[in-house]
Amino acid sequence: METLSETEWDVVISGTGLPQSLLALALSPSGKKVLHVDRNGYYGGAEAALSLQDAVAWVKTVNDCSVSFTPESLDSGGRGKNTVPPTFKDARIITPNEHQSQPESKPAASKLGFSRAYSLALSPQLIYSRSALLPTIVSSKIQQQLEFLAVGSWWIFVPDEKSESNTQIRSGQEAAGTLKKIPGGREDVFADKTIDLKSKRSLMKFLRHAADTEALQPVLDEWGERSFQELLTLQYGLSTQLQSALHALTLSPEPPSRTKTSYALPRITRHLTSIGVFGPGFGSVIPKWGGIAEIAQVACRAGAVGGGVYVLGQGVKSVTHGGGSSAEMSPMTVQLQDEEIIRTKWVAGCHEDLSSSPEATDSGSHSYIVRSISIVSGSMSTLFPLTAEGAPPPAGAVVVFPEDGTGDEKSPPVYLMVHSSDTGECPAGQCVIYASTLCAGPQGYELLDRALEKLLDTIEEPEPSILWSLRYAQRCPSTDHRTTTELPKEGGMITFAETTIDLAFDDGVLQDVKRAWTNITGETTGFMQFENRGPGIDDDEDV
């Protein structure tokens, strides 16, 4: 059997993040010799899902590789200076009850479970029902290895002085506000007694226009470069509270005054037109057992069944051009971390997986978001009501604290994605809360802590508590590019875009993968259109 260095590879894929894993899946029936490596010992890259033990090792790796997150290493906008920072930094695990004795009689849901009972997503994303990813999963014949669960209600925190609803989740004294359900359509709007008739008409006018894809472009032409706040105020006369609710549906990391209409309006359209595609009452889903990471691992398994060779714990150290002009010569030489030399026609990966290669260098400045993952005792069932008759039980909910929801009108919104135990991410009777905000350093973590405290104070069944949490900073993409403008035609390096901070899957990832597949195979049709796969894809063992 040939060794890695003795084999003439067609493609070396570095990293097992979603774009690389989808590319491996797309190439699996092509007959190409594919070597798929990852410097990590797990699948998923920046989108990985971790057990508690994995998280401990991940924190150590992140902190060993990152620059200290101090004011001296950032400019006034929270951006890195001089050097390109790692994808993640400043990771820390917090266990509030680690020094407290746990009585044996305490309910299981009130205690932290064993390590493998958890599958915690580093970059959680929901997938809208109209996303091109879902039919691609079906056409590539891997859908039987995946399970998707509904994201149900979207909530917004309304401070007490602004809250008048009788149909919302009431808060405790500390929360100083309530959670109000964000209307998802005509029925929700007219059932909400807190909205006056004039505002209902204005809101319905906006929702009608936003759901009309043909009428979208004229609005974008006129208002695209202006803020979403200006559009809602000047064109539709909507109140600040209604603006905050609509802005929440965009999942924008910026407040309404700094969110362009060109960004917000297509996302509102995506949200509205996705509701009802797969059933009543919901418009987005989340993959069970760890989110996007589960899709990546299933794709890699299919890639292995198709003949791909997988090596974990082995990354790319450097890439150089071979310099040969003959079509039979491999134009790329890859040095792996163990110094082994690989010859290949193509190299593909994300910037973070090819960062030591000259062609992948990025000298731009970077901003950060801060994230936290919290395991919470209690099911928080009030966040997961059935959204419509005949709707599936939701396993996810989105809770938004707008820029004024935490008491500071200048602060960015805080998004909390709450996953029930139905997702398989935690034991029964617990839930996982993924929090994020576009604010660097201690101020960002303070915003997350305040939002989490306020959310937990709204729950009365019984009072939930945080059992364990992981917090970290994640680098934002420095530009709006995805892949390089002109991909090589006869072999070379394909660099995918940096890991996104978007809370919803971006179909641009799939478009990038298709472009890469087209260049590598020379095919223009048949992308991810597979015959039924053999029994190997059904195996439960990891590849």
Side-chain angles (χ1 to χ4, degrees), residues 157-159 161-162 175-176 400-416 437 443-444 446-455:
F157 184 82
V158 181
E161 64 272 15
K162 298 183 179 182
V400 184
F401 285 75
E403 76 284 355
D404 59 347
T406 49
D408 182 359
E409 294 186 358
K410 295 182 180 180
S411 65
V414 176
Y415 291 94
L416 307 181
T437 190
Q443 181 183 359
E446 182 179 352
L447 289 175
L448 297 187
D449 289 342
R450 287 160 63 184
L452 283 165
E453 289 173 8
K454 290 176 186 294
L455 173 62

Side-chain angles (χ1 to χ4, degrees), residues 44-78:
E47 293 121 344
L50 307 176
S51 67
L52 298 185
Q53 186 175 351
D54 292 337
V56 172
W58 181 83
V59 166
K60 184 178 186 305
T61 300
V62 166
N63 292 336
D64 286 347
C65 296
S66 66
V67 180
S68 179
F69 198 85
T70 63
E72 289 74 21
S73 66
L74 301 173
D75 64 19
S76 59

